[in-house]
Amino acid sequence: MAARRDRTHYLYLAVIGAVLLGIVVGFVAPGVAVELKPLGTGFVNLIKMMISPIIFCTIVLGVGSVRKAAKVGAVGGLALGYFLVMSTVALAIGLVVGNLLEPGSGLHLTKEVADAGSQQAAGAATSTVDFLLGIIPTTIVSAFTEGEVLQTLLVALLAGFALQAMGSAGEPILRGIGHIQRLVFRILAMIMWAAPVGAFGAIAAVVGATGLDALKSLAVIMIGFYLTCAVFVFLVLGALLRLVAGVNILSLLKYLGREFLLILSTSSSESALPRLIAKMEHLGVSKPVVGITVPTGYSFNLDGTAIYLTMASLFVAEAMGDPLSLGEQISLLVFMIIASKGAAGVTGAGLATLAGGLQSHRPELVDGVGLIVGIDRFMSEARALTNFAGNAVATVLVGTWTKEIDRARVTEVLAGKVPFDETTLVDDHAPAPAAGELPDQRADDGGEKTPAAV
């Protein structure tokens, strides 16, 4: 087993090397580098292919093995309440920093830039009603084939509650889904070996297409955004994590280091979603909490996107010579709280949601979205990293509040005493439940449970 772990260690060293090589190729041969984009797209698509089955198996196992439906509802309600509060905090922080920096002053809008902004707005905006109706899949199967996270979440919850109602008759189905989950994670572990190729293609294409020109003229908002995200993660989330769970944010981020590297190289937090589920369960958070909090958070807990929306809105207004008044800023903040919830369902979520929000709120500013098209890909790195960190912290916090976390195991895992199995992404050596007992079923009498090591 140790030898296997060593090989995965070399895999992530290869990812770092591929990223550096991609940057070099992007500068030296930009024309060739742009043509390498399908390598990165293909790898991300391979990861996305696994998201629906992993979410389905995780949620069905978590919900189906808990005999009290009220417990699942409590976890979901607490998670959604937390997501709403933290999104509001993130939007407010972006608003404050944006007012302090005034990053858009001095820029000029050209016809080409205005056209780029209009293109982003064309198919971006969807109403809240459309978003809510979009959660319902056309068929049960289409939830998997269309790759919609919230649709898969809905089907998995329905299946989990149905298995709850079936009682002991549903146990063979749960065991079967448990075996399927191991198969799916094994396939994911195999796909991860393509990570260096995907990272090389993605980074090379971005550097080749963008170069340094866009970065120089728009450095203020980009650097300001990165610093704001860092402040939010280390100060706001870090303080909350320490006060509530007694966990050091640096230890948690170090534990998730490989996932952050994967996100940095693909610019997609979705690429690390399956691994986050596996690692949070390994950390000691119970299956129901992980199965509900992580997938839901990927659509409703987009802290990085929230910061981006307010800072970018202020940037566009400044650059257009039409700054927002304080009342308009507050009104836009309230609107963006809702708009940001649909960001995960839109390709190019950051720009598309920004354009859609401005189209609905201040249509005259939409053309200015084109000003940040050139650097959006670089800012999406910070968005994805912040969103991922926010969901990791949220899972630990919800687990702590609901007493669905094994604190002793958290300490051991973060100290490196219980290493994560990179070859299977699940614990093959977890203690087996007693006869007739399902995972996470031990506390159905209402007492505090000790989650199974997963």
Side-chain angles (χ1 to χ4, degrees), residues 204-292:
V206 172
V207 176
T210 308
L212 289 175
D213 293 337
L215 303 185
K216 290 177 181 177
S217 61
L218 300 168
V220 174
I221 185 173
M222 193 169 71
I223 294 173
F225 178 60
Y226 268 78
L227 291 177
T228 304
C229 287
V231 168
F232 178 80
V233 170
F234 291 105
L235 294 186
V236 178
L237 294 181
L240 197 57
L241 188 64
R242 170 63 76 179
L243 289 173
V244 175
V247 175
N248 186 303
I249 185 71
L250 293 177
S251 298
L252 182 63
L253 299 185
K254 180 182 177 182
Y255 171 63
L256 298 170
R258 292 186 174 185
E259 287 66 46
F260 282 112
L261 175 60
L262 183 62
I263 293 169
L264 192 62
S265 59
T266 61
S267 193
S268 170
S269 59
E270 281 192 349
S271 63
L273 188 154
R275 290 179 58 88
L276 179 61
I277 290 175
K279 279 205 161 181
M280 287 294 102
E281 290 184 359
H282 175 76
L283 184 65
V285 184
S286 71
K287 279 181 178 289
V289 170
V290 175
I292 294 171

Side-chain angles (χ1 to χ4, degrees), residues 289-315:
V289 170
V290 175
I292 294 171
T293 305
V294 174
T296 308
Y298 260 69
S299 290
F300 289 94
N301 189 36
L302 305 171
D303 298 329
T305 303
I307 294 171
Y308 169 85
L309 288 174
T310 46
M311 289 189 67
S313 297
L314 293 177
F315 168 83

